[in-house]
Amino acid sequence: MSTTPAARLYRPTPRNLALLARVLAEGGLVAAPTETVYGLAADALNAKACRAIFRAKGRPASDPLIVHVDSIEQADEVAVLNDAARKLAKLFWPGPLTLVLPKRAGVPDIVTSGLPSVAVRLPSHQLFRELIRRSGCPLAAPSANPFGYVSPTTAAHVRDGLGKRIGHILDGGSAKIGVESTILDLRDPRHPVLLRPGAVSREAMARVLGRKITIHRRIVPTATAAIAPGLLERHYSPRTPLTLVDKITPALVRSAGSNHALLFMQKPAQVNANTFWLCEAPNAFDQAAHNLFDRLRTLDNGAWSHIHAELAPGSDALALAVNDRLRRAAAKR
Ligand code: TXA
Ligand code: MG
């Protein structure tokens, strides 16, 4: 039996950052905050280190990782950037945008699940970037949660899920955005495809590229060599059954049992013991995104037998991202 590490939380002091960067440079795993969610990082060019990510998460090898870099030059070392990628990078990096591009030879197969493409992003979180700089490695990092469960937005979330499987967690407070990056497939720059909605909107990218961006059709969980296994129908899932509605009506409030939790988008006028919400102000989707995963975890850890959640109205980028995560969380097993 291998020894089970008990995760330690590290405050972001210069000394701890140096220590954690050394862990990464030596092939270890470190969970650390990004502006979207917490990631479970390893040296992206070290196949053995990256295999350990899959083991810790219980993630199937068919689900490729995102490689995080600290500069365009470093992105050039792992991916082949076309003009479209450079345009988007110039505008949206550092930030919550991941680009899928042809990969360079140095990126191990385990990172890309054997695909000839690689997903790359330059995050804006200063602590995460400092780990990349200090370790000298591009960092492969999926969300730091057991495969299929709700993504982590705090160090405590990471410890709850992976505390027995990893040794090091950098505590940088709660992740600002709260939902994962937008993923754009740019392998063919003439036909960009949105693989996952996030804070960077499809419209904004389409404007920059001067092209239409199509949306990838959901792929079913049985898909093999999937183009973006993160598009698995069921993902981000609480254990408690979750049903989605466009609007929580007074009739639903009356008919729901007291052991049913009601998750409103916006705080309702009347608040009961089973009333929860994602934001205070109307259409504050940044707040809703920031709160979403924490709220789902809290409800999942409560004694609720069922969760009814409201979808976000409109077509704001974060509203679409919130709805995407809610739909996957609610998808049947
Ligand atoms: O915001 C984020 O993107 C966070 C933080 C930590 O950066 N990371 C994240 O990673 O959400 P993960 O592993 O949970 O989701 C990455 C998604 C996966 O669904 C995977 O299928 C997709 O990226 N992906 C990775 N490489 C790909 C490739 N070569 N082609 C298509 N999709 C790819
Ligand atoms: Mg994930």
Side-chain angles (χ1 to χ4, degrees), residues 57 59 143 145 151 180 235-236:
K57 280 183 59 94
R59 178 175 175 122
S143 50
N145 52 302
S151 297
E180 300 84 346
H235 213 83
Y236 311 105

Side-chain angles (χ1 to χ4, degrees), residues 145-323:
N145 52 302
F147 181 69
Y149 194 62
V150 181
S151 297
T153 55
T154 67
H157 292 166
V158 178
R159 184 166 53 190
D160 289 346
L162 298 177
K164 294 205 174 96
R165 304 197 205 164
I166 62 173
H168 305 84
I169 303 171
L170 175 59
D171 187 350
S174 80
K176 191 161 150 265
I177 297 175
V179 293
E180 300 84 346
S181 60
T182 302
I183 305 183
L184 187 70
D185 179 358
L186 267 184
R187 287 172 306 161
D188 177 354
R190 287 162 310 175
H191 297 109
V193 181
L194 184 73
L195 300 181
R196 182 173 71 185
V200 174
S201 78
R202 180 163 73 112
E203 291 72 24
M205 293 188 295
R207 263 197 308 277
V208 173
L209 297 178
R211 292 187 184 278
K212 197 166 153 284
I213 295 176
T214 54
I215 301 179
H216 191 265
R217 215 163 33 80
R218 283 279 170 76
I219 44 180
V220 292
T222 51
T224 52
I227 162 67
L231 297 183
L232 287 179
E233 189 76 19
R234 188 176 171 82
H235 213 83
Y236 311 105
S237 302
R239 296 169 298 266
T240 317
L242 169 67
T243 324
L244 305 180
V245 291
D246 285 327
K247 198 86 201 136
I248 296 177
T249 59
L252 175 57
V253 173
R254 278 192 305 275
S255 67
S258 61
N259 57 349
H260 284 208
L262 301 172
L263 181 57
F264 289 79
M265 195 49 58
Q266 194 194 328
K267 186 179 182 186
Q270 199 193 327
V271 173
N272 304 316
N274 64 345
T275 309
F276 300 86
W277 56 89
L278 290 181
C279 58
E280 302 274 340
N283 302 332
F285 299 120
D286 51 342
Q287 214 184 86
H290 176 81
N291 292 331
L292 175 69
F293 289 143
D294 184 72
R295 209 66 93 241
L296 286 178
R297 283 167 176 268
T298 307
L299 292 175
D300 208 21
N301 292 332
W304 309 106
S305 66
H306 204 105
I307 304 167
H308 302 271
E310 229 171 46
L311 290 161
S315 58
D316 173 88
L318 282 172
L320 296 179
V322 164
N323 288 350

